[in-house]
Amino acid sequence: MFTPTFRSLFTRLPAPSSISGLFPRSHFIPSTQTAAAAATAFRSLHTTAPQNARAQPKGGKGGRKKRRKGKGEAPDPRIVNLKASMPRAVPAPLRFARNRALRHWTIHRAWLLYQRKERDREQHELERMYQSMHNACEELRKTSGPGTRDEGYLYRVAMEKKGLYGHNAIPIEYARPQTETPAREPWNHGWTR
C-alpha cells in the first residue's frame, strides 16, 4: 500500500499514463471487473468530468488569434508620445544613508527657503508698483487743469480707456459678469443636456 510522506506532497506527480505504476492493481480493480471498469476507476482521479472539460483549439497554444492591423491604420501619435515618455517600470524608492539623508534634507530646506524669499520679493515688488500707481492716480484726481478744467479731469481721462481695446470693443473687465452676491437660484435642478 502507498503511504504518502511529507516530502511527497511537494513533489511533482508523474504523467497520468504512468500513475498506474504507483498503486497496486488489486487496490483499484477487483478480479471480477472488466477493462471498461478499470478505465472508469482511473478516470475518477481527475476532478473535471470529460464532457465538461474544455477542448484545446487547433493550431498550437490556446487563446484568441491576434488580429493584425491593416496597413492604413496607424496608432494615435498622442498615445505613442505618452508611452514613449512614461517609464516602463516604477523606480525603487530612494533609500539614503544617515549622512546622505541629512545632506538631502538640508539642500531641500535651503531650496524651499530660497523659493519663499523669491515669492516674498516678487510680492513686495508688485505691492510697490501698485502703491506707485495709486499715488499717481491720487495726484491726478486732486489736480485741476489744464486751463479752466475742474479738479479730477485728468484722472477721468486717464481712467476712460477709450480706444484702448480697439474699435467698438468691450473692455476685458466686462468679459464676464463680476458679481459679489450669489444668484437668486443657486442651482438649476431641472437642467438637462
Side-chain angles (χ1 to χ4, degrees), residues 94-104:
L94 294 176
R95 292 188 186 95
F96 294 141
R98 186 178 292 127
N99 285 338
R100 179 70 179 92
L102 183 61
R103 260 193 324 235
H104 177 80

Side-chain angles (χ1 to χ4, degrees), residues 21-193:
L22 291 175
F23 304 102
R25 207 163 197 38
S26 63
H27 177 70
F28 282 108
I29 309 167
S31 59
T32 59
Q33 287 186 342
T34 61
T40 347
F42 282 113
R43 193 178 298 141
S44 65
L45 293 174
H46 295 286
T47 56
T48 308
Q51 66 268 19
N52 296 337
R54 220 184 293 167
Q56 283 286 341
K58 295 179 183 177
K61 296 182 179 176
R64 296 180 183 165
K65 292 181 181 178
K66 293 183 180 178
R67 286 190 220 159
R68 296 182 66 191
K69 287 190 175 182
K71 291 183 181 177
E73 296 180 35
D76 190 2
R78 294 173 295 184
I79 295 175
V80 171
N81 188 19
L82 280 173
K83 283 184 177 178
S85 62
M86 288 190 296
R88 296 272 180 220
V90 178
L94 294 176
R95 292 188 186 95
F96 294 141
R98 186 178 292 127
N99 285 338
R100 179 70 179 92
L102 183 61
R103 260 193 324 235
H104 177 80
W105 181 82
T106 306
I107 292 168
H108 179 68
R109 295 299 300 168
W111 171 246
L112 291 180
L113 180 64
Y114 170 76
Q115 284 183 318
R116 190 178 76 200
K117 285 184 177 178
E118 282 295 306
R119 279 196 307 269
D120 291 347
R121 187 185 61 76
E122 288 172 5
Q123 184 66 27
H124 184 68
E125 181 67 18
L126 287 173
E127 286 176 6
R128 187 192 63 78
M129 289 192 298
Y130 175 81
Q131 197 61 39
S132 176
M133 288 189 296
H134 179 75
N135 292 341
C137 288
E138 277 299 306
E139 282 299 315
L140 287 174
R141 195 173 63 78
K142 289 178 184 174
T143 56
S144 60
T148 59
R149 305 280 187 181
D150 59 339
E151 187 177 300
Y153 171 77
L154 291 174
Y155 176 76
R156 288 193 300 275
V157 169
M159 294 294 123
E160 227 171 28
K161 300 183 176 83
K162 191 179 285 181
L164 185 64
Y165 299 102
H167 183 65
N168 290 333
I170 300 172
I172 196 69
E173 288 91 353
Y174 307 140
R176 61 188 173 87
Q178 304 289 327
T179 58
E180 295 182 3
T181 57
R184 292 183 191 277
E185 186 185 347
W187 188 263
N188 182 8
H189 292 280
W191 184 86
T192 56
R193 186 175 292 274

